[in-house]
Amino acid sequence: MSAKREIDEVEDAVESASAPKALKSESNGGKKKKAKDSDDENGVASDAEAEDEEDKSDTEKEDELPSVPVEIPEKEKGKVLTSEGTGVVLICGGTNWDAAGRKTAPKGGKNSGPNLWSPHRFLPFANIRVRLVASGPTAAHSIVITEEGKAYSFGRNEKGQLGHGDEVRRDIPLIIDAVKDEVIVGAACGRNHTLLVSVRGEVFSMGDNKNGQCGVKNSSQATVPTATPINYKGAPIVKVGCGAEFSIILDCKGAMHSFGLPEYGQLGHNTDGKYFVTSTKMGFHCEMAPKRIVFFIERTKDGKIKPVDVDEIRDFSCGTNHTCAIDSRKRLFSWGFGGLGRLGHAEQRDEMVPRLIKFFDSQNRGVRNVWCGSSYSLAVNDFGVMYMFGQNKRTGEANMYPKPIQDLTGWNVRCVGVANTSIVCAADDSVIAWGSSPTSGELGLGEMRKSSTTPLEVKALDGVYVEQISCGMTHTLFIARDKTDEEKQKIESLEGYMPA
């Protein structure tokens, strides 16, 4: 079935059936709100649309929140401002940021940095308590957020993704000056861009903007060298996510908005954005500003498409070119690039809009957490069973639909870091890792056992309670709890790493 025919089927189904329920809006009493369509190539509203916007009813105008600082709800604020979950930063894996994911470092690069085969104390943060670490499966840079909400960045910086106003690699983390007066509570890293979210629900972006993945007002800006507010006016944002060249944000009312490259349908707007620039060259209509994802579907066994009512999205995760999201009824949706079964639909079809994963749409199979890697996805259900779909090995068969990871049966998985092909998770009081060769030490298993295709406990972290894990392309960051003297002593016994 062609992509055009699939798109037509979705549109016909949405028009013929009752439209999916609009996501909750507290300020307009739950009334449905139309998504803003865009007709021009960059996904920015035309002049005619701008005039139509001025004619909106008073109710709709009241629903748009002003751009002045807005506090997020108390229930969300509590998640990010308590002292719980803070600790000491540990690092392992490759630290030659210029060479990460490449055969050789580019000419003129620094091309230095050791592979840390076991977890080390990250000495630049030796006396600083940290709340959050963030990287991504396609990222060779990282963000570290302190207990006070100050954001630091380090790693590769070829497109200004570190937000320091230049393109100079940083081995030692440096505070991001543009947001030093903000309380930053969330971050996400794409291949060459970064998103930050403040406690007020405001989003800042920096780095590569060739495909609009930074979502700033000046859409013609190819790179954004410093942290800049995105072109968004609406409910406060509570979570941000980055794929390789696209971004998704989630507001406090449960609505998702996406922007950037739509190549495989990963934006969820019912299009891959393709058009012919010339007879032999393909281009893409990129979304240069956040656009709301407005409908969700399911496919029946006979191939028919039905719209699905979704009240609120609770959580989501972005892979390289795909996304998974959990709604308030604990159903799991996926869309974007379908290769190797990473969408969990038992087929390799690309999905242009969020599609319900039927495997989890039954009693006692609700999903509580989801993580997306480069070519695979992980989900944990209400009973703590972890499922994988897609492929995290370079060879062999892929999981075309969700299958439980038998080696983790009985473990309570608390948090997961997903790299290119490696997976590191905190389960109960242990850290478990696995990934196929070659690796750069991101598994933390030690120099004698650099890779493993089956889950193994990271012995170096025995006795260390890990609060959070985030993996980059070839490195892993941990936040280790240090509340007791015993925990502090165990952390101090680890080797320290100070970048040159």
Side-chain angles (χ1 to χ4, degrees):
M1 186 182 291
S2 67
K4 179 72 170 75
R5 185 178 172 189
E6 292 173 26
I7 293 172
D8 291 340
E9 281 186 5
V10 175
E11 292 174 340
D12 292 341
V14 173
E15 290 174 2
S16 61
S18 59
K21 188 184 297 182
L23 300 178
K24 287 183 179 177
S25 176
E26 297 171 358
S27 59
N28 67 358
K31 292 184 179 179
K32 293 180 181 179
K33 182 180 176 183
K34 291 184 178 179
K36 190 192 298 181
D37 292 324
S38 54
D39 297 324
D40 61 333
E41 291 185 358
N42 292 328
V44 180
S46 64
D47 293 338
E49 290 172 332
E51 292 174 5
D52 291 339
E53 289 293 313
E54 294 176 1
D55 296 331
K56 281 184 176 180
S57 66
D58 293 337
T59 303
E60 289 176 311
K61 287 182 179 178
E62 290 174 1
D63 188 56
E64 284 193 10
L65 297 182
S67 57
V68 297
V70 181
E71 292 266 336
I72 63 177
E74 289 296 326
K75 65 176 183 178
E76 296 293 343
K77 185 186 295 185
K79 294 179 184 178
V80 294
L81 293 183
T82 64
S83 60
E84 292 297 319
T86 59
V88 176
V89 178
L90 308 178
I91 186 173
C92 62
T95 61
N96 186 353
W97 312 116
D98 292 329
R102 299 167 171 167
K103 292 182 178 179
T104 58
K107 292 182 178 179
K110 190 174 180 180
N111 195 21
S112 64
N115 287 345
L116 306 176
W117 298 104
S118 61
H120 287 58
R121 288 176 292 118
F122 198 28
L123 296 182
F125 290 100
N127 300 312
I128 301 175
R129 294 186 62 78
V130 168
R131 181 182 303 281
L132 182 141
V133 288
S135 193
T138 61
H141 67 288
S142 303
I143 301 293
V144 177
I145 299 174
T146 67
E147 188 175 22
E148 295 78 22
K150 304 303 178 186
Y152 291 76
S153 60
F154 66 99
R156 187 183 294 173
N157 194 30
E158 294 171 354
K159 300 290 183 179
Q161 58 262 45
L162 300 186
H164 301 310
D166 56 34
E167 296 180 357
V168 179
R169 163 180 157 174
R170 299 293 196 287
D171 291 311
I172 297 177
L174 185 65
I175 193 168
I176 302 173
D177 282 334
V179 291
K180 65 182 180 181
D181 296 326
E182 300 282 347
V183 178
I184 301 300
V185 295
C189 299
R191 178 176 289 138
N192 289 307
H193 75 292
T194 307
L195 295 184
L196 306 171
V197 60
S198 74
V199 72
R200 299 178 301 158
E202 188 175 5
V203 178
F204 302 86
S205 64
M206 49 206 183
D208 187 13
N209 193 43
K210 180 181 178 181
N211 297 301
Q213 59 265 50
C214 281
V216 295
K217 288 184 178 180
N218 184 5
S219 58
S220 62
Q221 197 173 349
T223 58
V224 181
T226 59
T228 304
I230 67 171
N231 185 18
Y232 168 81
K233 292 182 180 180
I237 300 302
V238 295
K239 182 171 182 177
V240 293
C242 292
E245 296 180 13
F246 73 100
S247 305
I248 293 183
I249 56 178
L250 175 68
D251 68 34
C252 64
K253 297 178 182 179
M256 287 189 299
H257 312 260
S258 60
F259 46 104
L261 182 68
E263 183 175 1
Y264 301 101
Q266 60 260 39
L267 299 187
H269 297 154
N270 198 20
T271 178
D272 58 10
K274 291 180 180 177
Y275 71 96
F276 282 102
V277 179
T278 65
S279 60
T280 58
K281 183 180 179 181
M282 186 75 74
F284 297 95
H285 292 292
C286 298
E287 288 294 341
M288 310 304 284
K291 181 178 177 181
R292 186 172 168 181
I293 299 174
V294 293
F295 58 86
F296 300 75
I297 66 165
E298 67 172 306
R299 289 184 186 269
T300 60
K301 291 182 179 179
D302 56 2
K304 292 183 179 178
I305 297 171
K306 294 169 56 180
V308 178
D309 290 345
V310 173
D311 291 329
E312 183 181 359
I313 295 296
R314 294 287 176 84
D315 195 13
F316 73 93
S317 180
C318 297
T320 302
N321 288 306
H322 76 291
T323 304
C324 293
I326 305 170
D327 76 349
S328 56
R329 293 169 57 182
K330 298 185 178 180
R331 297 176 297 184
L332 186 61
F333 296 82
S334 63
W335 64 100
F337 185 48
L340 299 174
R342 71 197 72 187
L343 300 184
H345 301 306
E347 57 184 345
Q348 300 197 65
R349 181 205 310 263
D350 295 348
E351 297 293 341
M352 304 295 157
V353 294
R355 176 183 171 186
L356 179 67
I357 300 179
K358 300 292 287 184
F359 181 87
F360 295 109
D361 186 32
S362 61
Q363 193 173 9
N364 300 327
R365 281 188 176 177
V367 176
R368 74 182 191 198
N369 298 108
V370 66
W371 299 271
C372 293
S374 58
S375 58
Y376 60 92
S377 305
L378 301 169
V380 176
N381 70 4
D382 281 335
F383 295 100
V385 179
M386 177 179 275
Y387 294 83
M388 188 181 81
F389 37 107
Q391 186 182 54
N392 76 315
K393 298 179 292 185
R394 290 179 170 84
T395 59
E397 294 184 2
N399 292 351
M400 298 303 296
Y401 59 90
K403 293 183 181 179
I405 300 175
Q406 301 294 344
D407 291 317
L408 294 181
T409 302
W411 291 87
N412 176 30
V413 178
R414 297 181 290 105
C415 59
V416 177
V418 286
N420 188 26
T421 58
S422 299
I423 301 170
V424 184
C425 66
D428 293 322
D429 294 333
S430 301
V431 175
I432 300 171
W434 70 101
S436 60
S437 180
T439 67
S440 300
E442 64 267 26
L443 300 178
L445 298 175
E447 197 164 0
M448 301 302 293
R449 184 75 182 261
K450 298 179 180 179
S451 64
S452 173
T453 56
T454 58
L456 294 176
E457 289 189 57
V458 180
K459 296 299 183 182
L461 293 178
D462 283 350
V464 177
Y465 188 88
V466 172
E467 296 277 8
Q468 188 192 339
I469 302 172
S470 184
C471 291
M473 191 184 305
T474 60
H475 71 286
T476 303
L477 296 172
F478 307 86
I479 296 181
R481 189 175 68 187
D482 61 345
K483 289 185 176 180
T484 67
D485 291 338
E486 185 179 351
E487 289 173 340
K488 291 178 181 177
Q489 185 177 358
K490 178 60 181 177
I491 292 171
E492 285 297 322
S493 69
L494 298 174
E495 289 185 64
Y497 170 65
M498 174 61 78

